[in-house]
Structures are given as structure tokens and as C-alpha cells.
Amino acid sequence: MSRGNLFVVSGPSGVGKGTIVSRVIDEMPDAVLSISATTRSPREGEVNGVDYLFLDRADFEDRVAHDGFLEWAEYAGNLYGTPLDFVRDEIAAGKQVILEIEVQGALQVKEKMPEAKLVFIEPPSMDELARRLSGRGTESAEQVERRLEVAKVEMNRKEEYDKLLVNDSLDAAVAELEGYIAAESAE
Ligand code: 5GP
């Protein structure tokens, strides 16, 4: 059995990290994605237990109080957290566990598990990010503005990551992330 590892992928909202990560999960047999809990409302088409575990604030806070999360953070007014049991069990089973989480949570993971590998996905430019974020049409104009403000703060912390990757071409970004996971898990 290969050794299990933890990979944490962050990057500004709209950068395409969800698309990149789901391709990696489809293409790498021993890679698994952690499903986060959130207090955000489901977007159209999102399924409870598949995209997220959708919780109300009281349930979320109860899990925080019972140490149910590896990390958690507030992002653009909602709470998001990584259930601890799944991550622990899958690493023990020799899987390459991927978290797709924002920056504050990623840095908490690095503190608790210094062996975790942190990957930051950057947009080709902030203008391009703004175009992608408004183009996908899942957020109101006000929420897009809020996410762009958060993105600027997140970009300032990218140097704290182990690996930087620019999402210019989707295929190239997927290949680069797969190559990184393969190399790090072979060590
Ligand atoms: P969205 O609302 O677009 O699904 O996610 C907003 C942000 O929360 C994204 O940057 C996403 O990566 C991050 N996120 C999702 N799940 C978690 C989590 O479990 N913990 C943390 N810290 N961030 C998360």
C-alpha cells in the first residue's frame, strides 16, 4: 500500500480550482476529495453530501465545539470546515487526500500537519479573475465584489504555499497538479 498524504489546494474564488481538482480526482485512482461542511446556502444543482455538507450555524458550531474539524474558517460571511474523521481515515488507508479550501484554513492545516503539501492556484491576472467570476453567473454583483476583495488578500499569502501554479490552460494546470501529487507521494 502506498503512503497516504494530504494536499491542500487554495486559490481565489473563480480561479478554476474546483474544475482542476475534480479532473485530478477522476484521473488519479488513489486521490480522494474531502467534502467540506458549510453554512452557505446550496447553489442551484448542488447536492447535500456530494458538493458540501450543508449545515445551519448551530450545527456547525456544535461540531467546532466537539473538535469535529481539522480546520475551519469564515469566508465571505459563511463558515466552512473540513471534517476531521474522513481525512484521518483516508490518509491511514494510503490515499492522496485533497482539500480544496481557502487560505486561512490551509495555513491552519500546515500548522497542525506540517507534512501537508500546500498548492496555490493563481489566475493569469486579476482582470481575468474578475471576468471569470462575473461570467460564471453564480453570485450577485455584490458577492462578486466581495470575493474579489478576498482574492486580493489571498494572493498576498501565496508565498506561504509549497507550490504555485498558474491556471492559464486547464490541461496544463491539471497535468502540473497531477505531476506534483505523484512526485510528492512517491517520496
Ligand atoms: P464556495 O462558496 O465558492 O463553494 O467556497 C468559498 C471558498 O471556501 C473557496 O475558496 C473554497 O475553497 C473554500 N472552502 C470550501 N470548503 C472549505 C473548508 O472546508 N474549509 C475552508 N477553510 N475553506 C473551504
Side-chain angles (χ1 to χ4, degrees):
M1 187 173 79
S2 60
R3 186 167 56 92
N5 293 283
L6 185 58
F7 293 90
V8 181
V9 177
S10 304
S13 181
V15 78
K17 57 189 186 300
T19 310
I20 295 172
V21 166
S22 63
R23 284 257 313 257
V24 170
I25 295 292
D26 286 347
E27 292 170 12
M28 294 188 88
D30 65 345
V32 291
L33 181 65
S34 158
I35 297 171
S36 297
T38 183
T39 62
R40 163 166 85 57
S41 311
R43 293 186 187 125
E44 207 174 311
E46 283 184 331
V47 177
N48 191 28
V50 175
D51 298 288
Y52 279 106
L53 198 57
F54 294 101
L55 301 178
D56 62 28
R57 230 169 221 265
D59 282 345
F60 193 101
E61 283 165 0
D62 191 53
R63 289 188 187 218
V64 171
H66 291 92
D67 292 330
F69 294 124
L70 169 61
E71 62 70 40
W72 67 275
E74 180 152 3
Y75 175 97
N78 293 301
L79 305 179
Y80 294 82
T82 303
L84 179 59
D85 288 354
F86 177 86
V87 172
R88 216 174 23 204
D89 295 350
E90 296 294 316
I91 292 176
K95 299 287 189 190
Q96 308 312 317
V97 180
I98 303 181
L99 310 184
E100 189 210 313
I101 66 177
E102 53 69 66
V103 169
Q104 307 162 74
L107 298 172
Q108 284 177 49
V109 172
K110 192 76 185 173
E111 277 198 3
K112 283 193 190 158
M113 299 180 65
E115 68 280 15
K117 301 289 175 212
L118 269 51
V119 180
F120 191 92
I121 304 181
E122 299 182 70
S125 69
M126 291 307 274
D127 281 352
E128 175 59 21
L129 183 70
R131 262 195 300 279
R132 289 183 192 175
L133 207 45
S134 3
R136 78 180 182 186
T138 48
E139 273 84 21
S140 64
E142 188 197 332
Q143 279 171 335
V144 167
E145 271 316 304
R146 194 167 178 185
R147 282 172 180 245
L148 282 172
E149 285 309 310
V150 177
K152 286 180 200 152
V153 175
E154 292 191 318
M155 293 287 283
N156 286 334
R157 308 209 62 176
K158 66 182 186 184
E159 300 305 333
E160 294 169 67
Y161 281 65
D162 299 303
K163 162 101 183 139
L164 298 180
L165 196 159
V166 179
N167 185 15
D168 209 344
S169 132
L170 177 63
D171 287 342
V174 170
E176 199 173 338
L177 183 55
E178 289 180 349
Y180 181 69
I181 293 172
E184 292 296 327
S185 54
E187 271 178 12

